[in-house]
Amino acid sequence: MPTLRTLLSIPVSLALLLTPAASGDTSTAAASEAVLPLLVADGGAPAAALLVQDADGRVRYAAAGRGIGRADRFRAGSVTKTLVATVVLQLAAEHRLSLSDTVERHLPGLLRGRGVDGRRITLRALLTHTSGLADFTEVTRGTVPVTPLQAVRIALALPPRPAGRPGSPGRPGRPSYSNTNYVVLGLVVRQVTGRSYAEEAERRIIAPLGLTGTSFPGSRRSLPSPHGRAYAADGSDVTELDPRVAGAAGELVTTLADLDRFYAALLGGRLLPPHWLREMLDTRAAHGLYGMGLFPVKLPCGTTVWGHNGRISGSYVRSAATADGRRVLTFRVNTDAIADPRLEPALLAAEFCPRTR
């Protein structure tokens, strides 16, 4: 799964937008769809696909390579964090918890280790990756299934991240992306509601929005149909995967259309009251780099898009949307990563930056 630096510090190459396939067309459709094949040709992916929902409700689909389909179910990795954060903020809006609550208040004794004290780490710090908790996937490498408590124990055995004093009241820490933060939030959701984060996301988000291709598979290794194949960086087939390698930090299975619909609804104000949506988009605690389950990217034309990406063995996906949710793009490849890091920001700029001759 991605580090914060990988997520947020990718260089933008405008030259990629001036490929012969794209330079002669003024439409964002032609531009973004011209970049897509480069994810296969230069990015090393067996196949790639994108789905765009624009401000007028029109939908565009494009694909490159073989073995990928519009309706495919795929693993979405850390996009899971946006759903978990939404559930936590809904609970805050219902006054069932406060973002200033410490982890200790809800999960007594859970976070005690060298340099880590749950009495000083708030839910806000977990949501914004400013807790200082180490990332359990540094040990498991996203391939070993673990329970949430095992994931926490692994993290506590590692040195805490350099976030100053983790969770110091009133002091924002340096952001340090850690999957452990969202595993702990999953445990908080269960403690507060009596139901798992997956059950809460199903009844609060998935069912109301009609996300029929989206699910939390638990320990089920197979993907629902229809689906293509998923390949690791070394080319091995990893379509079968135990989702407990990620849990609340990256378990989600979904589709391109469902992610577009989810981000449009979230940023369009359908899932959170205005105050709590503003909280979600507030990046001050993480020095402008991360909100709560969302992060902003400012494109060369000055437009800022919001969303998340997800990397898990055999799958990389990225959703990005305008701040009002009226234009949303989701693209995916059926492997772990894109070899050329310039391609993702190039594709986003091609879609969201207006172009003229």
PDB file of all heavy atoms in Angstrom, residues 74-104:
ATOM      1  N   PHE A  74     -12.949  -5.358  -8.660  1.00  0.00           N
ATOM      2  CA  PHE A  74     -11.505  -5.360  -8.408  1.00  0.00           C
ATOM      3  C   PHE A  74     -11.246  -4.893  -6.982  1.00  0.00           C
ATOM      4  O   PHE A  74     -12.105  -4.299  -6.333  1.00  0.00           O
ATOM      5  CB  PHE A  74     -10.774  -4.457  -9.405  1.00  0.00           C
ATOM      6  CG  PHE A  74     -11.283  -3.034  -9.432  1.00  0.00           C
ATOM      7  CD1 PHE A  74     -10.808  -2.076  -8.547  1.00  0.00           C
ATOM      8  CD2 PHE A  74     -12.269  -2.653 -10.338  1.00  0.00           C
ATOM      9  CE1 PHE A  74     -11.285  -0.773  -8.562  1.00  0.00           C
ATOM     10  CE2 PHE A  74     -12.751  -1.349 -10.374  1.00  0.00           C
ATOM     11  CZ  PHE A  74     -12.261  -0.418  -9.481  1.00  0.00           C
ATOM     12  N   ARG A  75     -10.063  -5.170  -6.502  1.00  0.00           N
ATOM     13  CA  ARG A  75      -9.678  -4.737  -5.148  1.00  0.00           C
ATOM     14  C   ARG A  75      -9.235  -3.276  -5.202  1.00  0.00           C
ATOM     15  O   ARG A  75      -8.450  -2.882  -6.049  1.00  0.00           O
ATOM     16  CB  ARG A  75      -8.563  -5.628  -4.611  1.00  0.00           C
ATOM     17  CG  ARG A  75      -8.940  -7.103  -4.631  1.00  0.00           C
ATOM     18  CD  ARG A  75      -7.917  -7.980  -3.944  1.00  0.00           C
ATOM     19  NE  ARG A  75      -8.166  -9.374  -4.286  1.00  0.00           N
ATOM     20  CZ  ARG A  75      -9.112 -10.135  -3.741  1.00  0.00           C
ATOM     21  NH1 ARG A  75      -9.904  -9.614  -2.812  1.00  0.00           N
ATOM     22  NH2 ARG A  75      -9.271 -11.392  -4.116  1.00  0.00           N
ATOM     23  N   ALA A  76      -9.750  -2.484  -4.255  1.00  0.00           N
ATOM     24  CA  ALA A  76      -9.524  -1.032  -4.295  1.00  0.00           C
ATOM     25  C   ALA A  76      -8.530  -0.548  -3.252  1.00  0.00           C
ATOM     26  O   ALA A  76      -8.290   0.659  -3.142  1.00  0.00           O
ATOM     27  CB  ALA A  76     -10.841  -0.293  -4.123  1.00  0.00           C
ATOM     28  N   GLY A  77      -7.945  -1.447  -2.458  1.00  0.00           N
ATOM     29  CA  GLY A  77      -6.902  -1.042  -1.536  1.00  0.00           C
ATOM     30  C   GLY A  77      -7.312   0.116  -0.643  1.00  0.00           C
ATOM     31  O   GLY A  77      -8.386   0.125  -0.042  1.00  0.00           O
ATOM     32  N   SER A  78      -6.470   1.131  -0.579  1.00  0.00           N
ATOM     33  CA  SER A  78      -6.650   2.214   0.392  1.00  0.00           C
ATOM     34  C   SER A  78      -7.794   3.158   0.095  1.00  0.00           C
ATOM     35  O   SER A  78      -8.082   4.047   0.907  1.00  0.00           O
ATOM     36  CB  SER A  78      -5.349   3.012   0.530  1.00  0.00           C
ATOM     37  OG  SER A  78      -4.381   2.242   1.204  1.00  0.00           O
ATOM     38  N   VAL A  79      -8.481   2.988  -1.031  1.00  0.00           N
ATOM     39  CA  VAL A  79      -9.731   3.725  -1.218  1.00  0.00           C
ATOM     40  C   VAL A  79     -10.702   3.387  -0.081  1.00  0.00           C
ATOM     41  O   VAL A  79     -11.570   4.195   0.277  1.00  0.00           O
ATOM     42  CB  VAL A  79     -10.342   3.391  -2.598  1.00  0.00           C
ATOM     43  CG1 VAL A  79     -11.753   3.932  -2.721  1.00  0.00           C
ATOM     44  CG2 VAL A  79      -9.464   3.970  -3.712  1.00  0.00           C
ATOM     45  N   THR A  80     -10.526   2.216   0.516  1.00  0.00           N
ATOM     46  CA  THR A  80     -11.301   1.816   1.695  1.00  0.00           C
ATOM     47  C   THR A  80     -11.295   2.902   2.757  1.00  0.00           C
ATOM     48  O   THR A  80     -12.292   3.111   3.468  1.00  0.00           O
ATOM     49  CB  THR A  80     -10.729   0.516   2.288  1.00  0.00           C
ATOM     50  OG1 THR A  80     -10.601  -0.469   1.250  1.00  0.00           O
ATOM     51  CG2 THR A  80     -11.595  -0.032   3.402  1.00  0.00           C
ATOM     52  N   LYS A  81     -10.189   3.613   2.887  1.00  0.00           N
ATOM     53  CA  LYS A  81     -10.053   4.612   3.947  1.00  0.00           C
ATOM     54  C   LYS A  81     -11.086   5.728   3.819  1.00  0.00           C
ATOM     55  O   LYS A  81     -11.539   6.270   4.832  1.00  0.00           O
ATOM     56  CB  LYS A  81      -8.636   5.192   3.940  1.00  0.00           C
ATOM     57  CG  LYS A  81      -7.558   4.182   4.334  1.00  0.00           C
ATOM     58  CD  LYS A  81      -6.178   4.807   4.296  1.00  0.00           C
ATOM     59  CE  LYS A  81      -5.124   3.847   4.803  1.00  0.00           C
ATOM     60  NZ  LYS A  81      -4.895   2.703   3.908  1.00  0.00           N
ATOM     61  N   THR A  82     -11.460   6.083   2.602  1.00  0.00           N
ATOM     62  CA  THR A  82     -12.459   7.135   2.440  1.00  0.00           C
ATOM     63  C   THR A  82     -13.797   6.690   3.017  1.00  0.00           C
ATOM     64  O   THR A  82     -14.507   7.475   3.658  1.00  0.00           O
ATOM     65  CB  THR A  82     -12.630   7.533   0.968  1.00  0.00           C
ATOM     66  OG1 THR A  82     -11.355   7.725   0.363  1.00  0.00           O
ATOM     67  CG2 THR A  82     -13.431   8.822   0.853  1.00  0.00           C
ATOM     68  N   LEU A  83     -14.179   5.445   2.810  1.00  0.00           N
ATOM     69  CA  LEU A  83     -15.437   4.945   3.364  1.00  0.00           C
ATOM     70  C   LEU A  83     -15.379   4.867   4.878  1.00  0.00           C
ATOM     71  O   LEU A  83     -16.327   5.249   5.570  1.00  0.00           O
ATOM     72  CB  LEU A  83     -15.787   3.573   2.775  1.00  0.00           C
ATOM     73  CG  LEU A  83     -16.439   3.592   1.389  1.00  0.00           C
ATOM     74  CD1 LEU A  83     -15.394   3.788   0.296  1.00  0.00           C
ATOM     75  CD2 LEU A  83     -17.220   2.313   1.130  1.00  0.00           C
ATOM     76  N   VAL A  84     -14.255   4.377   5.421  1.00  0.00           N
ATOM     77  CA  VAL A  84     -14.126   4.276   6.879  1.00  0.00           C
ATOM     78  C   VAL A  84     -14.164   5.668   7.501  1.00  0.00           C
ATOM     79  O   VAL A  84     -14.843   5.895   8.516  1.00  0.00           O
ATOM     80  CB  VAL A  84     -12.832   3.530   7.252  1.00  0.00           C
ATOM     81  CG1 VAL A  84     -12.572   3.598   8.758  1.00  0.00           C
ATOM     82  CG2 VAL A  84     -12.916   2.061   6.812  1.00  0.00           C
ATOM     83  N   ALA A  85     -13.468   6.629   6.909  1.00  0.00           N
ATOM     84  CA  ALA A  85     -13.490   8.000   7.425  1.00  0.00           C
ATOM     85  C   ALA A  85     -14.898   8.577   7.378  1.00  0.00           C
ATOM     86  O   ALA A  85     -15.326   9.277   8.313  1.00  0.00           O
ATOM     87  CB  ALA A  85     -12.530   8.875   6.630  1.00  0.00           C
ATOM     88  N   THR A  86     -15.638   8.285   6.312  1.00  0.00           N
ATOM     89  CA  THR A  86     -17.010   8.785   6.205  1.00  0.00           C
ATOM     90  C   THR A  86     -17.876   8.232   7.324  1.00  0.00           C
ATOM     91  O   THR A  86     -18.663   8.969   7.934  1.00  0.00           O
ATOM     92  CB  THR A  86     -17.606   8.400   4.828  1.00  0.00           C
ATOM     93  OG1 THR A  86     -16.797   8.960   3.789  1.00  0.00           O
ATOM     94  CG2 THR A  86     -19.029   8.920   4.691  1.00  0.00           C
ATOM     95  N   VAL A  87     -17.737   6.954   7.622  1.00  0.00           N
ATOM     96  CA  VAL A  87     -18.501   6.355   8.721  1.00  0.00           C
ATOM     97  C   VAL A  87     -18.150   7.028  10.044  1.00  0.00           C
ATOM     98  O   VAL A  87     -19.041   7.366  10.845  1.00  0.00           O
ATOM     99  CB  VAL A  87     -18.234   4.837   8.801  1.00  0.00           C
ATOM    100  CG1 VAL A  87     -18.801   4.253  10.094  1.00  0.00           C
ATOM    101  CG2 VAL A  87     -18.841   4.124   7.592  1.00  0.00           C
ATOM    102  N   VAL A  88     -16.862   7.247  10.302  1.00  0.00           N
ATOM    103  CA  VAL A  88     -16.451   7.882  11.562  1.00  0.00           C
ATOM    104  C   VAL A  88     -17.027   9.290  11.660  1.00  0.00           C
ATOM    105  O   VAL A  88     -17.535   9.702  12.722  1.00  0.00           O
ATOM    106  CB  VAL A  88     -14.913   7.909  11.670  1.00  0.00           C
ATOM    107  CG1 VAL A  88     -14.462   8.744  12.877  1.00  0.00           C
ATOM    108  CG2 VAL A  88     -14.366   6.487  11.787  1.00  0.00           C
ATOM    109  N   LEU A  89     -17.013  10.049  10.576  1.00  0.00           N
ATOM    110  CA  LEU A  89     -17.545  11.410  10.604  1.00  0.00           C
ATOM    111  C   LEU A  89     -19.065  11.407  10.739  1.00  0.00           C
ATOM    112  O   LEU A  89     -19.641  12.303  11.381  1.00  0.00           O
ATOM    113  CB  LEU A  89     -17.116  12.166   9.359  1.00  0.00           C
ATOM    114  CG  LEU A  89     -15.625  12.537   9.346  1.00  0.00           C
ATOM    115  CD1 LEU A  89     -15.178  12.951   7.961  1.00  0.00           C
ATOM    116  CD2 LEU A  89     -15.322  13.634  10.347  1.00  0.00           C
ATOM    117  N   GLN A  90     -19.742  10.424  10.185  1.00  0.00           N
ATOM    118  CA  GLN A  90     -21.181  10.292  10.415  1.00  0.00           C
ATOM    119  C   GLN A  90     -21.468  10.038  11.892  1.00  0.00           C
ATOM    120  O   GLN A  90     -22.411  10.604  12.458  1.00  0.00           O
ATOM    121  CB  GLN A  90     -21.755   9.166   9.553  1.00  0.00           C
ATOM    122  CG  GLN A  90     -21.838   9.501   8.075  1.00  0.00           C
ATOM    123  CD  GLN A  90     -22.341   8.337   7.245  1.00  0.00           C
ATOM    124  OE1 GLN A  90     -22.310   7.181   7.676  1.00  0.00           O
ATOM    125  NE2 GLN A  90     -22.809   8.625   6.040  1.00  0.00           N
ATOM    126  N   LEU A  91     -20.660   9.208  12.523  1.00  0.00           N
ATOM    127  CA  LEU A  91     -20.838   8.949  13.959  1.00  0.00           C
ATOM    128  C   LEU A  91     -20.564  10.212  14.775  1.00  0.00           C
ATOM    129  O   LEU A  91     -21.235  10.462  15.784  1.00  0.00           O
ATOM    130  CB  LEU A  91     -19.913   7.811  14.403  1.00  0.00           C
ATOM    131  CG  LEU A  91     -20.248   6.427  13.834  1.00  0.00           C
ATOM    132  CD1 LEU A  91     -19.137   5.432  14.161  1.00  0.00           C
ATOM    133  CD2 LEU A  91     -21.583   5.927  14.394  1.00  0.00           C
ATOM    134  N   ALA A  92     -19.594  11.012  14.336  1.00  0.00           N
ATOM    135  CA  ALA A  92     -19.341  12.283  15.014  1.00  0.00           C
ATOM    136  C   ALA A  92     -20.531  13.223  14.854  1.00  0.00           C
ATOM    137  O   ALA A  92     -20.936  13.902  15.814  1.00  0.00           O
ATOM    138  CB  ALA A  92     -18.076  12.926  14.465  1.00  0.00           C
ATOM    139  N   ALA A  93     -21.117  13.255  13.654  1.00  0.00           N
ATOM    140  CA  ALA A  93     -22.281  14.103  13.428  1.00  0.00           C
ATOM    141  C   ALA A  93     -23.467  13.678  14.288  1.00  0.00           C
ATOM    142  O   ALA A  93     -24.308  14.506  14.652  1.00  0.00           O
ATOM    143  CB  ALA A  93     -22.668  14.058  11.947  1.00  0.00           C
ATOM    144  N   GLU A  94     -23.520  12.396  14.635  1.00  0.00           N
ATOM    145  CA  GLU A  94     -24.590  11.864  15.483  1.00  0.00           C
ATOM    146  C   GLU A  94     -24.257  11.965  16.971  1.00  0.00           C
ATOM    147  O   GLU A  94     -25.010  11.469  17.816  1.00  0.00           O
ATOM    148  CB  GLU A  94     -24.842  10.406  15.114  1.00  0.00           C
ATOM    149  CG  GLU A  94     -25.366  10.217  13.693  1.00  0.00           C
ATOM    150  CD  GLU A  94     -25.232   8.781  13.196  1.00  0.00           C
ATOM    151  OE1 GLU A  94     -24.886   7.888  14.008  1.00  0.00           O
ATOM    152  OE2 GLU A  94     -25.461   8.549  11.994  1.00  0.00           O
ATOM    153  N   HIS A  95     -23.106  12.582  17.284  1.00  0.00           N
ATOM    154  CA  HIS A  95     -22.648  12.782  18.670  1.00  0.00           C
ATOM    155  C   HIS A  95     -22.400  11.454  19.377  1.00  0.00           C
ATOM    156  O   HIS A  95     -22.496  11.370  20.609  1.00  0.00           O
ATOM    157  CB  HIS A  95     -23.651  13.627  19.464  1.00  0.00           C
ATOM    158  CG  HIS A  95     -23.967  14.935  18.822  1.00  0.00           C
ATOM    159  ND1 HIS A  95     -23.061  15.966  18.751  1.00  0.00           N
ATOM    160  CD2 HIS A  95     -25.093  15.375  18.196  1.00  0.00           C
ATOM    161  CE1 HIS A  95     -23.601  16.991  18.118  1.00  0.00           C
ATOM    162  NE2 HIS A  95     -24.837  16.656  17.762  1.00  0.00           N
ATOM    163  N   ARG A  96     -22.024  10.432  18.612  1.00  0.00           N
ATOM    164  CA  ARG A  96     -21.707   9.146  19.220  1.00  0.00           C
ATOM    165  C   ARG A  96     -20.224   9.023  19.524  1.00  0.00           C
ATOM    166  O   ARG A  96     -19.796   8.112  20.235  1.00  0.00           O
ATOM    167  CB  ARG A  96     -22.185   8.013  18.313  1.00  0.00           C
ATOM    168  CG  ARG A  96     -23.703   8.078  18.084  1.00  0.00           C
ATOM    169  CD  ARG A  96     -24.193   7.020  17.144  1.00  0.00           C
ATOM    170  NE  ARG A  96     -24.100   5.687  17.719  1.00  0.00           N
ATOM    171  CZ  ARG A  96     -24.496   4.580  17.089  1.00  0.00           C
ATOM    172  NH1 ARG A  96     -25.026   4.676  15.872  1.00  0.00           N
ATOM    173  NH2 ARG A  96     -24.380   3.406  17.666  1.00  0.00           N
ATOM    174  N   LEU A  97     -19.457   9.924  18.986  1.00  0.00           N
ATOM    175  CA  LEU A  97     -18.045  10.059  19.310  1.00  0.00           C
ATOM    176  C   LEU A  97     -17.624  11.475  18.948  1.00  0.00           C
ATOM    177  O   LEU A  97     -18.371  12.206  18.295  1.00  0.00           O
ATOM    178  CB  LEU A  97     -17.191   9.016  18.577  1.00  0.00           C
ATOM    179  CG  LEU A  97     -17.264   8.933  17.048  1.00  0.00           C
ATOM    180  CD1 LEU A  97     -16.488  10.035  16.332  1.00  0.00           C
ATOM    181  CD2 LEU A  97     -16.753   7.583  16.575  1.00  0.00           C
ATOM    182  N   SER A  98     -16.437  11.858  19.395  1.00  0.00           N
ATOM    183  CA  SER A  98     -15.868  13.162  19.061  1.00  0.00           C
ATOM    184  C   SER A  98     -14.499  12.944  18.448  1.00  0.00           C
ATOM    185  O   SER A  98     -13.770  12.023  18.845  1.00  0.00           O
ATOM    186  CB  SER A  98     -15.741  14.035  20.307  1.00  0.00           C
ATOM    187  OG  SER A  98     -14.963  15.198  20.034  1.00  0.00           O
ATOM    188  N   LEU A  99     -14.141  13.780  17.495  1.00  0.00           N
ATOM    189  CA  LEU A  99     -12.820  13.637  16.877  1.00  0.00           C
ATOM    190  C   LEU A  99     -11.707  13.942  17.863  1.00  0.00           C
ATOM    191  O   LEU A  99     -10.566  13.524  17.659  1.00  0.00           O
ATOM    192  CB  LEU A  99     -12.698  14.549  15.655  1.00  0.00           C
ATOM    193  CG  LEU A  99     -13.710  14.326  14.531  1.00  0.00           C
ATOM    194  CD1 LEU A  99     -13.328  15.151  13.308  1.00  0.00           C
ATOM    195  CD2 LEU A  99     -13.833  12.850  14.164  1.00  0.00           C
ATOM    196  N   SER A 100     -12.031  14.639  18.928  1.00  0.00           N
ATOM    197  CA  SER A 100     -11.030  14.915  19.960  1.00  0.00           C
ATOM    198  C   SER A 100     -10.937  13.800  20.998  1.00  0.00           C
ATOM    199  O   SER A 100     -10.082  13.850  21.887  1.00  0.00           O
ATOM    200  CB  SER A 100     -11.337  16.236  20.659  1.00  0.00           C
ATOM    201  OG  SER A 100     -12.603  16.177  21.299  1.00  0.00           O
ATOM    202  N   ASP A 101     -11.798  12.793  20.897  1.00  0.00           N
ATOM    203  CA  ASP A 101     -11.687  11.634  21.783  1.00  0.00           C
ATOM    204  C   ASP A 101     -10.322  10.973  21.597  1.00  0.00           C
ATOM    205  O   ASP A 101      -9.809  10.870  20.477  1.00  0.00           O
ATOM    206  CB  ASP A 101     -12.751  10.580  21.460  1.00  0.00           C
ATOM    207  CG  ASP A 101     -14.146  10.992  21.868  1.00  0.00           C
ATOM    208  OD1 ASP A 101     -14.292  11.977  22.616  1.00  0.00           O
ATOM    209  OD2 ASP A 101     -15.098  10.311  21.424  1.00  0.00           O
ATOM    210  N   THR A 102      -9.772  10.480  22.674  1.00  0.00           N
ATOM    211  CA  THR A 102      -8.554   9.689  22.563  1.00  0.00           C
ATOM    212  C   THR A 102      -8.908   8.246  22.229  1.00  0.00           C
ATOM    213  O   THR A 102     -10.032   7.780  22.476  1.00  0.00           O
ATOM    214  CB  THR A 102      -7.754   9.722  23.865  1.00  0.00           C
ATOM    215  OG1 THR A 102      -8.523   9.097  24.907  1.00  0.00           O
ATOM    216  CG2 THR A 102      -7.393  11.147  24.265  1.00  0.00           C
ATOM    217  N   VAL A 103      -7.955   7.554  21.691  1.00  0.00           N
ATOM    218  CA  VAL A 103      -8.149   6.122  21.444  1.00  0.00           C
ATOM    219  C   VAL A 103      -8.408   5.404  22.765  1.00  0.00           C
ATOM    220  O   VAL A 103      -9.234   4.484  22.836  1.00  0.00           O
ATOM    221  CB  VAL A 103      -6.918   5.529  20.731  1.00  0.00           C
ATOM    222  CG1 VAL A 103      -7.062   4.016  20.590  1.00  0.00           C
ATOM    223  CG2 VAL A 103      -6.720   6.182  19.372  1.00  0.00           C
ATOM    224  N   GLU A 104      -7.754   5.852  23.807  1.00  0.00           N
ATOM    225  CA  GLU A 104      -7.908   5.224  25.119  1.00  0.00           C
ATOM    226  C   GLU A 104      -9.364   5.252  25.596  1.00  0.00           C
ATOM    227  O   GLU A 104      -9.826   4.303  26.240  1.00  0.00           O
ATOM    228  CB  GLU A 104      -7.018   5.943  26.136  1.00  0.00           C
ATOM    229  CG  GLU A 104      -7.030   5.336  27.529  1.00  0.00           C
ATOM    230  CD  GLU A 104      -6.233   4.054  27.634  1.00  0.00           C
ATOM    231  OE1 GLU A 104      -5.527   3.706  26.670  1.00  0.00           O
ATOM    232  OE2 GLU A 104      -6.322   3.401  28.687  1.00  0.00           O
TER     233      GLU A 104
END
